[in-house]
Amino acid sequence: MPPVTKPAHEKYDIVFIGGGSGGVAGARRAASYGATVAVIEESEKLGGTCVNVGCVPKKIMWHAADIADKIRHAEGYQFKGPGIGAPQFSWATFKPQRDAYIKRLNGIYDNNLGKEGVELHYGRARLLSPTAVEVKRSDGSTYTLNTDRICVATGGRPTIPSDDEIPGASLGINSDGFFDLEDQPRRVAVVGAGYIAVELAGVLHTLGSEVTMLIRGETVLRTFDPTLGETLTNWMKHTGINFRHGAHVKKVEGAKGQELTLTLESGETLKVDTLIWAIGRHANTEGLGLEELGVKLDKKGNVIVDEFQETGVPGITALGDVAGKALLTPVAIAAARRLSNRLFGPEKFKGDKLDYDNIPTVVFSHPTIGTVGLTEPEARKKYGDENIKIYKSSFRALYFSMIPEEHKEPSVYKLICAGPEERVVGIHIIGLGSDEIMQGFGVAVKMGATKADLDNTVAIHPTSAEELVTLR
């Protein structure tokens, strides 16, 4: 369905602000129950961060890097011929190919809204009241949608320091800018230690860039289980990624698209072609008119909601990254579908809400990471040291048996069990295939599996995943 330029209905049952994963999922689910639904999207590209500058293009770049690694490994499996062992990647020709796929996904999102009868409006939204939303189009014209309910699903965007905080900071790019790069930078500095920093650094390094990580602490992924951060940091260093610990950028000099000189607070200087800020994200709440209507924001600008995604202002809900909890695409989709189930679905869904406990997630690092549940420090704090038992295994996946020692990636699997029944309260794995393994074990943890349940499951051999059902 093409976007409309004026409302087709006098009143809507619900208007979703934001055409990202959450907004589109919620709108389609509501429309499937017969609700009259509109979506307002400012960027004119449906799919939000995930489709356009997040999960999807990131995973495509990860696949490209993974293939580069496989080409290097092929020698160990006695593959011969030109190019074996020395991958030649053309970033300049791959980018438009990747972008074309993303554009196709934008169209699929558009078609899916149309199939459900959801009305799509392109423009900037502003709440006039709990029952009215103004749409300001790119040509400056405005009109108003009247509605019974409003759902704010505007997502978030990368944080970057101001030039007042760090002179020259704007010479760097953020994760969005990574996907705008037309050519592969030769030397890159990545500031940050979270999963986005790790993923971008891993892709760039594996494809052949010289990468330096500037981090404050001793390991990456400090909010994850310590075993994961320690294992990954050590492997990244082993593969040749440079680290500066306790690093703080003092100033950046140079010009966009040219060599940059970073001066650290230690006095050290670093010359790079590209600087990537990966220091966090913040909610897109500015200019929506939320606070004027009594919607509360926390100190980071996230919309404060209850367990049902309600803001406290009748008729106004919020979900996804804008609500600041578990910033993951599947979380936004799940919360949105449950909201629409509750508001417009059959009686059995009247209490539907998303349970934010035990959400599995993965990191597309090299090697990949899967995690669900409590970290070891969290589990010990919640249940007490005496009630926690840790099962752990370190090994190399069979795939690496034919590959030289220096290229054998580590695998470390960790099971955190609580109480006399040894209920599994955390699983943390790093190593080849961890991203695909995690989904099934996420189900097990969600169902309350115990160590005995895993022990009673027959192993699939030879796989890495079997380690989780044979730990002693």
Side-chain angles (χ1 to χ4, degrees):
M1 176 185 291
V4 298
T5 57
K6 61 181 180 180
H9 302 275
E10 289 186 8
K11 196 172 189 181
Y12 298 83
D13 293 313
I14 189 167
V15 170
F16 285 86
I17 302 176
S21 299
V24 169
R28 292 182 64 196
R29 182 59 59 89
S32 74
Y33 292 127
T36 304
V37 186
V39 168
I40 306 170
E41 169 54 40
E42 184 176 19
S43 73
E44 303 194 7
K45 289 182 180 180
L46 290 174
T49 294
C50 179
V51 167
N52 295 290
V53 287
C55 333
V56 177
K58 178 269 303 288
K59 183 69 181 291
I60 291 173
M61 295 304 293
W62 182 90
H63 279 306
D66 187 52
I67 290 171
D69 260 345
K70 295 293 192 291
I71 293 170
R72 294 185 184 101
H73 296 159
E75 286 183 312
Y77 279 86
Q78 298 307 310
F79 283 86
K80 309 293 183 183
I84 295 298
Q88 301 293 312
F89 178 68
S90 174
W91 187 294
T93 53
F94 188 68
K95 180 188 183 296
Q97 181 182 338
R98 184 196 72 211
D99 292 349
Y101 176 73
I102 299 307
K103 187 173 182 180
R104 177 170 166 261
L105 289 184
N106 296 145
I108 290 172
Y109 268 62
D110 195 327
N111 289 337
N112 285 340
L113 284 180
K115 287 176 185 176
E116 299 285 1
V118 176
E119 202 171 279
L120 175 60
H121 299 257
Y122 282 142
R124 172 75 179 174
R126 181 177 177 82
L127 281 71
L128 303 178
S129 77
T131 57
V133 184
E134 178 188 80
V135 180
K136 185 175 184 179
R137 293 172 48 77
S138 58
D139 62 6
S141 62
T142 63
Y143 55 85
T144 299
L145 306 183
N146 295 308
T147 179
D148 287 333
R149 294 181 175 275
I150 297 167
C151 180
V152 180
T154 48
R157 63 187 187 276
T159 301
I160 187 168
S162 69
D163 286 340
D164 289 335
E165 295 172 288
I166 300 175
S170 61
L171 295 171
I173 62 173
N174 55 30
S175 56
D176 291 1
F178 169 84
F179 297 105
D180 290 331
L181 291 171
E182 298 290 342
D183 294 291
Q184 182 174 352
R186 186 170 64 86
R187 301 165 299 172
V188 184
V190 179
V191 182
Y195 78 92
I196 294 173
V198 160
E199 291 176 337
L200 299 187
V203 164
L204 286 160
H205 172 71
T206 308
L207 290 175
S209 296
E210 179 186 323
V211 177
T212 301
M213 297 281 289
L214 304 177
I215 70 175
R216 291 177 295 176
E218 290 304 308
T219 66
V220 297
L221 303 179
R222 292 187 300 274
T223 61
F224 288 65
D225 188 89
T227 295
L228 300 178
E230 292 163 9
T231 304
L232 183 60
T233 302
N234 290 337
W235 183 251
M236 291 174 79
K237 289 180 177 180
H238 173 82
T239 62
I241 293 179
N242 304 305
F243 274 78
R244 297 293 186 274
H245 298 280
H248 297 268
V249 179
K250 185 177 181 180
K251 64 178 178 179
V252 184
E253 298 171 296
K256 280 256 186 189
Q258 299 177 25
E259 182 180 81
L260 302 177
T261 301
L262 279 57
T263 300
L264 307 184
E265 287 188 354
S266 64
E268 180 186 0
T269 59
L270 192 65
K271 294 188 181 298
V272 298
D273 302 303
T274 299
L275 164 64
I276 301 177
W277 297 103
I279 56 175
R281 297 177 64 83
H282 59 280
N284 291 324
T285 48
E286 302 91 342
L288 290 174
L290 296 173
E291 291 178 285
E292 291 91 326
L293 298 179
V295 175
K296 298 284 193 300
L297 308 181
D298 67 17
K299 60 183 179 182
K300 293 183 178 179
N302 301 311
V303 180
I304 298 173
V305 296
D306 66 11
E307 59 186 334
F308 291 100
Q309 312 298 149
E310 298 283 352
T311 65
V313 176
I316 302 178
T317 56
L319 53 83
D321 287 9
V322 77
K325 190 173 183 182
L327 310 186
L328 299 165
T329 295
V331 169
I333 292 171
R337 287 173 176 166
R338 284 160 176 76
L339 174 68
S340 290
N341 285 346
R342 178 171 65 84
L343 297 179
F344 305 107
E347 188 63 33
K348 67 178 181 178
F349 289 136
K350 291 310 176 187
D352 212 6
K353 62 181 180 179
L354 178 61
D355 176 6
Y356 283 84
D357 289 333
N358 294 323
I359 293 171
T361 188
V362 303
V363 180
F364 291 103
S365 46
H366 297 264
T368 53
I369 283 171
T371 179
V372 65
L374 301 176
T375 65
E376 183 176 344
E378 289 170 344
R380 292 188 182 281
K381 182 178 180 180
K382 181 173 182 178
Y383 295 104
D385 290 344
E386 68 281 5
N387 296 311
I388 294 297
K389 185 164 185 181
I390 306 296
Y391 296 88
K392 188 175 174 183
S393 174
S394 300
F395 61 97
R396 305 280 179 72
L398 182 62
Y399 168 82
F400 294 104
S401 62
M402 298 291 107
I403 291 168
E405 185 67 26
E406 64 269 22
H407 298 305
K408 295 181 189 290
E409 291 180 357
S411 288
V412 182
Y413 286 11
K414 185 175 185 178
L415 207 61
I416 301 172
C417 300
E421 74 281 14
E422 292 196 333
R423 185 167 62 88
V424 180
V425 296
I427 299 179
H428 310 284
I429 61 177
I430 179 170
L432 182 69
S434 294
D435 49 325
E436 295 292 348
I437 292 169
M438 196 66 244
Q439 185 72 76
F441 282 96
V443 174
V445 172
K446 195 71 176 174
M447 293 178 69
T450 64
K451 178 64 166 60
D453 292 324
L454 299 188
D455 293 341
N456 288 331
T457 302
V458 175
I460 301 171
H461 183 73
T463 65
S464 292
E466 67 181 303
E467 289 289 321
L468 286 172
V469 299
T470 57
L471 286 168
R472 297 190 62 174

